[in-house]
């Protein structure tokens, strides 16, 4: 069955970096857009970044532009989120999500409801 598994989270100091990974199985990643989302305690899940099925288009939330980078390797069935210059407000559970390209209207979206496959999340904690 289709599955996404995140890894790479951890505890880091402000200004630190992590590379979050999303391993896909059960489908060809070539045909799926990938989104990264995060949810902090007491807050709604928000879209951090997305990448189109081919990897040709990306989109970022204003709060992470210049600090985060999304990528995907379709041959390896992997997607990544490089998170740099981390701030305490970046603390959250980070989720990888996928949606079939044929179900979308544009290159990619950071809207939660446009994704139908979700991983279980990986915790990122930024604290001194």
């Amino acid at each position: 069955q289709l599955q996404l598994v995140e890894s790479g989270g951890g505890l880091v100091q402000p200004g630190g970096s992590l590379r979050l990974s999303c391993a896909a199985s059960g489908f060809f990643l070539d045909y799926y857009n990938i989104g990264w989302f995060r949810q902090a305690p007491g807050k709604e899940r928000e879209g951090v970044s997305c990448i189109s099925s081919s990897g040709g288009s990306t989109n970022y939330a204003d709060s992470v532009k210049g600090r985060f980078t999304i990528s995907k390797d379709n041959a390896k069935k992997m997607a990544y989120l490089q998170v740099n210059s981390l701030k305490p407000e970046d603390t959250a559970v980070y989720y990888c999500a996928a949606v079939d390209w044929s179900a979308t209207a544009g290159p990619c979206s950071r809207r939660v409801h446009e994704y139908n496959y979700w991983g279980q999340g990986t915790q990122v904690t930024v604290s001194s």
Side-chain angles (χ1 to χ4, degrees), residues 54-122:
S54 68
S57 297
T58 60
N59 186 271
Y60 297 91
D62 288 342
S63 60
V64 306
K65 286 182 179 178
R67 300 189 298 121
F68 290 10
T69 302
I70 191 171
S71 62
K72 71 196 308 255
D73 186 333
N74 290 331
K76 294 182 178 179
K77 295 185 176 182
M78 296 288 294
Y80 307 95
L81 185 69
Q82 178 70 38
V83 295
N84 299 329
S85 302
L86 287 165
K87 305 174 181 179
E89 57 258 42
D90 294 319
T91 296
V93 177
Y94 283 71
Y95 298 91
C96 176
V99 61
D100 193 310
W101 161 247
S102 66
T104 67
C108 73
S109 172
R110 293 185 288 106
R111 294 173 60 189
V112 170
H113 294 301
E114 294 203 6
Y115 292 82
N116 56 345
Y117 297 103
W118 293 83
Q120 297 302 304
T122 184

Side-chain angles (χ1 to χ4, degrees), residues 46-58:
E46 65 171 335
V48 173
S49 183
C50 67
I51 187 167
S52 60
S53 56
S54 68
S57 297
T58 60

Side-chain angles (χ1 to χ4, degrees), residues 3-4 15-16 18 20 24 29 42 56 62 75 84 104 109-110 123:
Q3 186 176 3
L4 299 171
L18 292 169
L20 309 183
L29 196 57
D62 288 342
N84 299 329
T104 67
S109 172
R110 293 185 288 106
Q123 177 71 47

